[in-house]
Amino acid sequence: MALNTLQQLLDEGVDGRHVLVRSDFNVPLDDEGNITDAGRIDASLPTLKALLEGGAKVIVMAHLGRPKGEVKPEFSLRPVAEALSERLGQFVALAGDVSGEDAHERANGLTEGEILLLENVRFDARETSKDDAERAAFAKELAALAADNGAFVSDGFGVVHRKQASVYDVARELPAYAGYLVEKEVETLSSVKDAPNHPYVVVLGGSKVSDKLGVIEALAEKADKVIIGGGMCYTFLAAQGHNVQKSLLQEDMVETCSQLIDRYGDKLVLPTDLAVAPEFDKNAEKKIVGLDGIPEGWMSLDIGPETAQAYAAAVKDSKTVFWNGPMGVFEFPAFADGTKAVAEAMIAATRENDSFTVVGGGDSAASVRTLGLDESGFSHISTGGGASLELIEGKNLPGVSVVSK
Ligand code: ADP
Ligand code: MG
């Protein structure tokens, strides 16, 4: 399966044509609505610039957070429009709606090399509807913005695993291409999936336990080691009979975790010590304890130092590493050590062991920057969490297949 590439579209010519682009601008915001990590916006620039330079009338679709199908001002893409204007060095207009009157008027008013950002596509409940007809109706409204010789470019890698109107259905309404970001992500991650050098080490963490437990099986078949930390490790520790107290736990998956431990044995690597706190708070007291030492009512917010050292050593020895999900609540400086140890070991593996090191996951990528680590020390930092995992796992991604031949 080969992608229809942006280069093909540029070769056909985009001058004066409306091009509808799906980008991933789902960036983290602080309490005042300021963008705390603009990595995804930066990653979208090459595609947007190429289209603008080619004279396209660019209309960008994106989502931010989970407004759940309602117009909620705190999820407006206004901060993104401003950040994008700054980076592109040209005004980025923000439509007052998604596919309504204002969007249509502004799209019609665009001239060559101008760009319009639609409001948060998730302000419309049809974007994520399970009903094919509802999504298709919304996709038709979006595609109508680029009617008359328009085209669609899929560049929001972080959402290509979702069968959503602006990702999947819209690509069936217009000639559809993969943007530079999607192309690069798919190429790089496919090479890890199809031909990893060994030892191949997968490091999994983060908070989305239910999403990620499912992939362990697929990855354990291919990797030499699956190292587990972050929010998901406590369900495994519970399966081993430890009392994880108030740590993140997915009770209904304890049995599954037990079976995984039985089946994969030493291949699954679990913590041997933990950093715990009495409450979920930045300034909480911190203690290092063994697996059975979590005080009553406390919770584990990071792997312990002995675990961090063991994980780092395995990563340094690898020839391929895929890392998804922080090892702890890295947003609290006192509980960032485990995440930092793994990330630093990846940089060492890249530089000293010629390992191919990939970071996948919105928060994992943000943690690299927040912790002040050198992004160039990784072979690839993916903009997609779920999407990168599903690709590595070998699943079919709706938003990729729809722009493939
Ligand atoms: P990614 O975006 O990289 O795929 P996730 O979204 O799954 O990662 O998870 C990231 C979040 O997981 C971070 O905000 C982090 O604070 C949280 N996290 C990691 N370890 C723990 C833990 N032990 N308890 C609670 N939350 C955790
Ligand atoms: Mg995340």
Side-chain angles (χ1 to χ4, degrees):
M1 200 167 61
L3 293 171
N4 300 322
T5 63
L6 178 59
Q7 195 53 52
Q8 288 165 6
L9 174 62
L10 294 170
D11 290 346
E12 283 168 30
V14 292
D15 195 19
R17 293 171 68 185
H18 279 107
V19 179
L20 198 55
V21 182
R22 178 55 156 106
S23 295
D24 178 10
F25 293 148
N26 193 24
V27 289
L29 301 178
D30 66 15
D31 294 343
E32 275 114 55
N34 302 303
I35 297 169
T36 53
D37 180 61
R40 285 177 161 166
I41 299 179
D42 292 330
S44 75
L45 298 176
T47 290
L48 298 178
K49 282 184 181 160
L51 288 167
L52 292 168
E53 274 160 25
K57 301 170 177 179
V58 176
I59 305 165
V60 190
M61 308 178 283
H63 79 279
L64 181 65
R66 294 175 186 236
K68 307 216 164 117
E70 283 170 45
V71 178
K72 292 193 184 141
E74 66 271 32
F75 293 108
S76 167
L77 283 169
R78 169 134 336 259
V80 171
E82 284 164 11
L84 203 53
S85 296
E86 251 170 55
R87 286 168 169 74
L88 288 171
Q90 78 178 85
F91 178 65
V92 178
L94 177 68
D97 52 28
V98 188
S99 60
E101 212 172 301
D102 191 57
H104 275 271
E105 258 170 41
R106 287 176 187 270
N108 287 336
L110 288 173
T111 61
E112 288 77 7
E114 282 188 342
I115 173 168
L116 167 69
L117 176 61
L118 304 179
E119 251 307 358
N120 193 333
V121 286
R122 292 194 187 166
F123 282 177
D124 194 308
R126 294 172 297 173
E127 166 70 2
T128 56
S129 171
K130 296 268 176 283
D131 182 318
D132 290 351
E134 272 181 26
R135 281 196 327 273
F138 183 42
K140 281 197 166 65
E141 286 179 25
L142 292 166
L145 296 165
D148 252 2
N149 199 25
F152 168 70
V153 172
S154 166
D155 212 30
F157 181 70
V159 284
V160 288
H161 59 315
R162 306 280 188 210
K163 201 170 183 183
Q164 297 176 344
S166 68
V167 178
Y168 173 79
D169 303 83
V170 76
R172 308 174 75 187
E173 304 290 332
L174 292 166
Y177 305 82
Y180 289 141
L181 177 63
V182 163
E183 186 182 358
K184 181 169 147 233
E185 294 268 18
V186 169
E187 273 179 8
T188 310
L189 295 167
S190 299
S191 73
V192 173
K193 174 183 65 124
D194 298 330
N197 289 325
H198 293 271
Y200 173 23
V201 172
V202 172
V203 185
L204 292 176
S207 59
K208 294 179 202 152
V209 183
S210 49
D211 287 12
K212 296 182 185 180
L213 279 176
V215 314
I216 291 181
E217 198 152 13
L219 292 173
E221 294 293 337
K222 300 180 172 185
D224 301 295
K225 275 199 169 94
V226 180
I227 292 179
I228 299 173
M232 77 164 66
C233 73
Y234 308 101
T235 306
F236 282 92
L237 295 179
Q240 285 181 327
H242 303 291
N243 184 344
V244 300
Q245 297 289 343
K246 291 266 168 12
S247 311
L248 272 189
L249 174 65
Q250 197 173 354
E251 303 251 13
D252 58 345
M253 292 298 281
V254 171
E255 185 50 40
T256 308
C257 288
S258 263
Q259 288 164 8
L260 288 168
I261 293 171
D262 286 346
R263 181 158 346 134
Y264 294 106
D266 290 348
K267 218 185 221 196
L268 288 186
V269 186
L270 292 165
T272 52
D273 64 345
L274 305 167
V276 300
E279 68 222 328
F280 192 85
D281 188 275
K282 188 167 107 191
N283 300 313
E285 183 190 346
K286 169 171 144 179
K287 268 191 197 168
I288 304 300
V289 299
L291 300 181
D292 289 313
I294 309 180
E296 199 180 334
W298 285 43
M299 63 193 76
S300 174
L301 298 182
D302 195 11
I303 55 176
E306 178 186 281
T307 307
Q309 214 177 10
Y311 286 10
V315 165
K316 275 188 202 149
D317 273 347
S318 71
K319 286 290 179 192
T320 307
V321 192
F322 176 73
W323 169 42
N324 172 285
M327 294 292 98
V329 184
F330 73 93
E331 296 91 338
F332 301 165
F335 299 94
D337 295 348
T339 303
K340 200 167 181 189
V342 165
E344 282 174 341
M346 283 178 76
I347 295 176
T350 322
R351 296 200 168 138
E352 294 155 29
N353 204 32
D354 202 21
S355 180
F356 193 76
T357 55
V358 177
V359 184
D363 292 290
S364 314
S367 76
V368 167
R369 293 183 283 263
T370 312
L371 297 173
L373 300 172
D374 182 0
E375 289 177 76
S376 73
F378 299 86
S379 308
H380 180 69
I381 300 184
S382 174
T383 52
S388 64
L389 267 178
E390 290 193 15
L391 212 154
I392 290 276
E393 208 188 320
K395 279 197 183 157
N396 170 39
L397 308 184
V400 173
S401 44
V402 83
V403 294
S404 305
K405 298 182 259 292

